[in-house]
Structures are given as C-alpha cells and as structure tokens.
C-alpha cells in the first residue's frame, strides 16, 4: 500500500508539472508556435490522467478541485491566442518585410521568452526545463543571421520590444490572481473585509508592490511612472493638528508629603 501511495504521489506531481509546462505560447522542444486549441488538448489530457489516479478518484474534495480547474481551462488558454493576436497587430503596424517579421517571431521572441521564464521561476524542476528550452532557442538564434536591413540601433529597439512584449504575457486565469492570493493570507476573523479595506489593499497591490526590477503593476500596465505611494500619503497630510483640549481644567497634582520625625 505504501508503494502504491508513493507511485500515485509521483504521478500526481508529474501531471501537475505537465500542466504548468503546457501553458506557454511556445513549445519546450523547438520553440514552435502554440495555439489555444493545442494547449487545451494538453491540459485536458493531463486532467484526465489526474482523474484516473486510483487514490484521488475516491476523494470528494479532489473531484471538486478537478471540476473547478476544468472550468478555468478556457480562460487560461484564451490568453495564448489573445497574446499572439497582439503580437501580430504590433508587427503589422510597423509594415515590416517578411524576413524581419519571421526573424522576430521565430528567433527573437522565443529566446527572450524562455530567458524571462528562467529568471522568474523558482522551482528547480521547471527551471531545468526552461533552461533547456532557452539553450535550444539561443542555438537557433545564433545559427540564423540577423536581417541585413536592420541597423544596430534597430536591433536594440526590437530587443526592447520583445522584452516588453514577453513581460505582458500573464499565465493566470485572471489579471487579479496576485491580489486574490494576497487577500487569502489575511485572517478575516469571520467578519470579512470592509469595502474601504478592499479599496486600500487594491491600491497597495497596484501602486505599492514592486517586482525585482522595481516596477509596480500600474507602471507596467500604463507604461509610465507614478509617484511613490508612501510619499503621496505623507504629502497629503499637511499641518498636523494640535492636541485636543480637555473640557475640564485639570488641577495640578502636587504630592502631599506627610511630616516624618527627624
């Protein structure tokens, strides 16, 4: 029975890893394009494998968790097609030739994407897969020559564009997953959160929390800096009021020393 449980646990973690590795706009092997339909098929396959695990099929909460994830699959995979549509719209607005456009899509974007995934992930297992994909993308980038029509300044600009484009690909079912995760750690004391506190926490999440590069969520979304949140609060205080006067005049409390013999 112990060996069966151990094998089930290994299969469970393997399928969870497969779910995470599938949700990318590029494949791990070869960095080919992926669409919503392809990723949906991979997620459904891993989900069916999870449902078939013998030790999990009898658990009620596990079945409910699988059903919840199945409902989230359309929202998760729709991000991929939306991102690709955004990429093509950006390239069409620059009226590039086919060689330059193909270089950006098949060489530069995969290289920058896997580089960012290697930097962001903290899981050693996932990092190993992303490092392998990055090395393959790097080798492919070095084998293909850069279009001769691009100058050094233009190449630098396209690198910055690819870095900005890849940073806006969010592998979440909702743009507020981070905020919800933060709220889930707060002890609600069975009373819930007031509307005012929710508004304050939203402002802190969007304008106060920063990544390793020092950028906030609002700065990444709007592409412009915002004043420091704490300094803005301090500047809005103005002159501090004087202490409130008591309605009753307080008599001075003087100690009454009793006479004592010398």
């Amino acid at each position: 029975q112990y060996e069966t449980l151990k094998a089930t646990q290994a299969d469970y973690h393997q399928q969870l890893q497969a779910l995470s590795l599938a949700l990318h706009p590029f494949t791990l092997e070869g960095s080919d394009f992926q669409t919503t339909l392809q990723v949906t098929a991979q997620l459904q396959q891993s989900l069916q494998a999870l449902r078939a695990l013998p030790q999990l099929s009898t658990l009620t909460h596990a079945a409910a968790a699988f059903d919840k994830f199945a409902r989230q699959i359309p929202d998760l995979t729709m991000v991929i097609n939306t991102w690709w549509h955004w990429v093509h719209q950006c390239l069409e607005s620059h009226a590039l030739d086919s060689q330059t456009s193909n270089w950006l899509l098949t060489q530069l974007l995969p290289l920058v994407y896997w580089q960012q995934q290697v930097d962001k992930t903290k899981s050693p297992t996932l990092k190993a897969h992303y490092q392998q994909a990055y090395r393959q993308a790097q080798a492919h980038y070095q084998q293909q020559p850069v279009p001769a029509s691009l100058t050094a300044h233009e190449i630098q600009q396209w690198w910055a564009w690819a870095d900005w484009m890849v940073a806006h690909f969010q592998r979440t079912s909702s743009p507020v997953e981070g905020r919800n995760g933060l709220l889930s750690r707060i002890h609600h004391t069975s009373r819930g959160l007031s509307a005012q506190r929710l508004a304050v926490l939203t402002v802190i999440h969007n304008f106060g929390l920063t990544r390793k590069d020092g950028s906030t969520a609002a700065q990444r979304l709007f592409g412009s800096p915002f004043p420091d949140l704490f300094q803005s609060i301090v500047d809005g205080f103005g002159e501090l009021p004087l202490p409130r006067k008591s309605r009753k005049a307080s008599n001075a409390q003087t100690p009454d020393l009793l006479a004592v013999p010398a």
Side-chain angles (χ1 to χ4, degrees):
Q1 186 179 5
Y2 171 76
E3 293 298 332
T4 302
L5 290 174
K6 189 175 180 179
T8 301
Q9 184 184 32
D11 293 339
Y12 175 75
H13 288 292
Q14 182 180 0
Q15 295 304 326
L16 289 183
Q17 180 180 327
L19 290 173
S20 182
L21 294 176
L23 193 60
H24 293 286
F26 302 98
T27 60
L28 286 170
E29 295 293 334
S31 296
D32 297 328
F33 302 150
Q34 286 202 123
T35 63
T36 294
L37 293 177
Q38 292 173 324
V39 176
T40 300
Q42 297 178 47
L43 296 182
Q44 293 286 0
Q45 182 179 0
S46 297
L47 181 60
Q48 292 300 326
L50 286 172
R51 291 182 185 273
L53 292 177
Q55 301 297 330
L56 296 180
S57 59
T58 58
L59 299 179
T60 306
H61 68 277
F66 294 152
D67 293 337
K68 179 181 179 180
F69 177 74
R71 294 192 297 269
Q72 292 177 339
I73 288 179
D75 293 332
L76 286 168
T77 56
M78 186 59 66
V79 177
I80 295 179
N81 274 4
T82 303
W83 186 76
W84 276 120
H85 182 67
W86 189 14
V87 170
H88 287 291
Q89 276 191 332
C90 291
L91 296 182
E92 289 175 0
S93 63
H94 289 83
L96 301 174
D97 58 273
S98 59
Q99 183 182 7
T100 303
S101 179
N102 184 68
W103 175 75
L104 292 171
L105 292 175
T106 61
Q107 297 181 52
L108 185 59
L109 271 180
L111 178 63
V112 175
Y113 180 82
W114 293 122
Q115 182 182 18
Q116 286 198 12
Q117 292 300 319
V118 170
D119 295 336
K120 288 194 301 183
T121 186
K122 297 180 181 179
S123 171
T125 306
L126 295 178
K127 187 182 286 289
H129 288 279
Y130 296 154
Q131 287 175 340
Q132 178 64 23
Y134 171 69
R135 286 192 292 266
Q136 293 179 359
Q138 190 177 30
H140 181 65
Y141 179 85
Q142 294 173 352
Q143 291 173 0
Q144 301 295 330
V146 179
S149 59
L150 296 178
T151 63
H153 180 67
E154 290 175 339
I155 294 175
Q156 185 178 5
Q157 287 183 331
W158 283 118
W159 269 91
W161 170 83
D163 187 72
W164 178 83
M165 200 77 218
V166 168
H168 283 74
F169 179 79
Q170 300 293 332
R171 298 201 313 145
T172 57
S173 59
S174 171
V176 294
E177 288 287 345
R179 173 180 175 273
N180 292 343
L182 176 65
L183 296 181
S184 66
R185 301 190 186 98
I186 297 178
H187 182 52
H188 294 174
T189 63
S190 301
R191 296 191 301 268
L193 298 175
S194 64
Q196 182 179 7
R197 187 175 184 184
L198 282 173
V200 171
L201 290 174
T202 302
V203 172
I204 293 175
H205 178 264
N206 292 332
F207 296 92
L209 301 182
T210 59
R211 287 185 177 177
K212 293 189 298 184
D213 58 357
S215 63
T216 62
Q219 183 178 351
R220 294 190 298 271
L221 177 62
F222 295 101
S224 60
F226 289 88
D228 182 75
L229 181 60
F230 181 76
Q231 188 62 38
S232 301
I233 297 175
V234 173
D235 295 340
F237 275 129
E239 293 292 336
L240 295 177
L242 295 175
R244 184 179 59 180
K245 292 184 178 181
S246 176
R247 294 180 180 179
K248 296 181 181 179
S250 59
N251 298 325
Q253 301 293 330
T254 57
D256 188 10
L257 298 178
L258 301 177
V260 294

